[in-house]
Amino acid sequence: MTSSETEASRRRALLEALPSIDELLSEERVMALGRGVSRPVLVEACRSAVAEVRRQILSGDEVRFDVERVERQLARLGRPSLRRVLNATGVVLHTNLGRAPLSARALERLSEVAKGYCNLELELDDGERGSRFAHVVELLKRLTGAEDAIVVNNCAAATLLTLGALAAGREVVVSRGELVEIGGGFRVPDVMRESGCALVEVGTTNRTRVADYVAAITPATGLLLKVHRSNFALVGFTEEAPRSELVALGRAKGIPVFEDLGSGALEPLHGEGLPAEPTVRDVVSAGVDVVAFSADKLLGGPQAGIVVGRREVLGRLARHPLQRALRVDKLTVAALEATLEAYRDGTADVELPARAAVLARPEALRARAAALSAALAAAQVAHRVVASTARVGGGALPLAELPSCAVALERVPAVELHARLRAGAPPVVARVNDDELWLDVRCLTDDDCLVAARQVINAVRGAPC
């Protein structure tokens, strides 16, 4: 018998030894594992376990089936796909990790609204139908100085709605240096085309003047667009049209001015490593007719796109068919209202987790790193505390470098350890730096540091995380 025939025979014997699903379900150990689990879930776990072994055998591995595989599949099926992770990357608004965490007030409001009915579109005073925006409009007007507001499901949707309502079939003039690409490969020109507008680029990549806009205006011009470069920066020999001059031009020509502000700071951010960022009130005060910004970036709330501006212009957006297609649900409205209340009450810097993380003081970061270090030292895990540089992330403040602290794990394979930590409960997501795994503490709470230490200890020892 040739070696290939011997291999085929061995593989066939291993496959024939695999149990049937019925055999597994009648086995005592499997029945014990299935107590408290629905039968469909137990059947799926058995099928997945057998299929896993079959794939390994067919790929050339010499493995045999054991019931522990069913147990692992049950654990996998019982774990939600979307779940909480500990963010030890040092990136505050990490898009892959869900951007801004919600405040305790927002979570409480979400729970209250989600567990029953609510007055989403009902005026309780007169019993008539109301607007879902009414719950946040007054807060937004107060915080931004705008005459009116609308909320849709993200800032790209806000831009799409504004362009479609104000300039469909017409030309939109924008600086070539502001044609940004946002996350996921989507680009401002693409959004503009989908809204039915004709893009008119002016200026050069690094220098655009008001005169460039003036020269581009024709009877077909429907909108002057300014896009804040919130996710990248131009440095060196640069120039851009001042907002005030663009507004004056729009007024003189009777053309609305729209600014996509992106990151959406409601209040200034002051601290080491934080460059100046225009607030929404700054832009509204300059006379810009329509301003769009994100709710889940510097604002620190749920994913949403907010549009504020002049009442007459916002009315056109509210009446556009896209508005209904892009509108937010009751949970977003509830979380956004609670988030805006923190700004109204003057507690945003401490109440909103993302804002608090960006503004975290050095002594607080050193204390967290010391607590994480002490827990690891007690378990004799080799490490050192290091100075780190954190980022705002989420397409906001690209030049910001936030001094931070991290714990660098020594004498362990960084990639393998990181994989074990990501597989834990809760998963820990850190960053690999020069073949070391670094846990930056800026986005961890004091309690998170202790949980992260436990997960690291288990991962280093090879125990389940």
Side-chain angles (χ1 to χ4, degrees), residues 82-285:
L82 181 64
R83 56 193 188 273
R84 175 177 176 262
V85 306
L86 299 187
N87 178 7
T89 65
V91 180
V92 178
L93 300 172
H94 200 305
T95 298
N96 295 349
L97 302 183
R99 289 192 182 163
L102 295 179
S103 66
R105 187 190 322 209
L107 294 174
E108 182 179 353
R109 196 72 54 82
L110 277 173
S111 176
E112 181 182 350
V113 167
K115 66 185 178 184
Y117 298 98
C118 65
N119 61 320
L120 179 64
E121 291 188 356
L122 177 70
E123 294 288 351
L124 294 176
D125 291 339
D126 57 18
E128 298 296 324
R129 180 170 183 169
S131 166
R132 66 181 57 203
F133 305 131
H135 308 286
V136 295
V137 165
E138 291 305 316
L139 281 165
L140 285 167
K141 288 164 58 176
R142 175 175 176 176
L143 294 168
T144 67
E147 294 178 357
D148 204 356
I150 284 178
V151 183
V152 290
N153 52 34
N154 60 25
C155 196
T159 299
L160 180 68
L161 174 61
T162 302
L163 294 172
L166 301 183
R170 307 195 70 190
E171 295 176 348
V172 177
V173 183
V174 60
S175 168
R176 185 169 283 107
E178 295 175 359
L179 293 175
V180 303
E181 178 175 310
I182 56 179
F186 295 98
R187 298 173 174 178
V188 167
D190 298 336
V191 175
M192 294 178 71
R193 279 190 291 272
E194 289 301 317
S195 66
C197 303
L199 171 65
V200 178
E201 302 177 32
V202 298
T204 63
T205 301
N206 60 319
R207 294 175 71 85
T208 304
R209 305 174 181 86
V210 171
D212 296 317
Y213 291 87
V214 174
I217 291 176
T218 71
T221 303
L223 198 65
L224 302 181
L225 170 62
K226 186 170 182 61
V227 181
H228 179 53
R229 291 187 289 266
S230 58
N231 64 354
F232 77 105
L234 285 178
V235 296
F237 187 58
T238 64
E239 181 181 354
E240 63 180 275
R243 187 178 291 114
S244 58
E245 294 184 20
L246 205 56
V247 167
L249 175 62
R251 292 283 189 274
K253 299 292 186 178
I255 301 172
V257 177
F258 167 41
E259 181 159 352
D260 181 347
L261 194 55
S263 49
L266 283 185
E267 291 182 358
L269 289 163
H270 299 298
E272 186 177 356
L274 289 168
E277 176 79 358
T279 67
V280 180
R281 182 177 288 276
D282 292 336
V283 180
V284 172
S285 298

Side-chain angles (χ1 to χ4, degrees), residues 448-461:
D448 287 342
C449 286
L450 298 180
V451 176
R454 182 194 70 208
Q455 297 296 77
V456 169
I457 293 166
N458 288 338
V460 169
R461 291 175 175 173

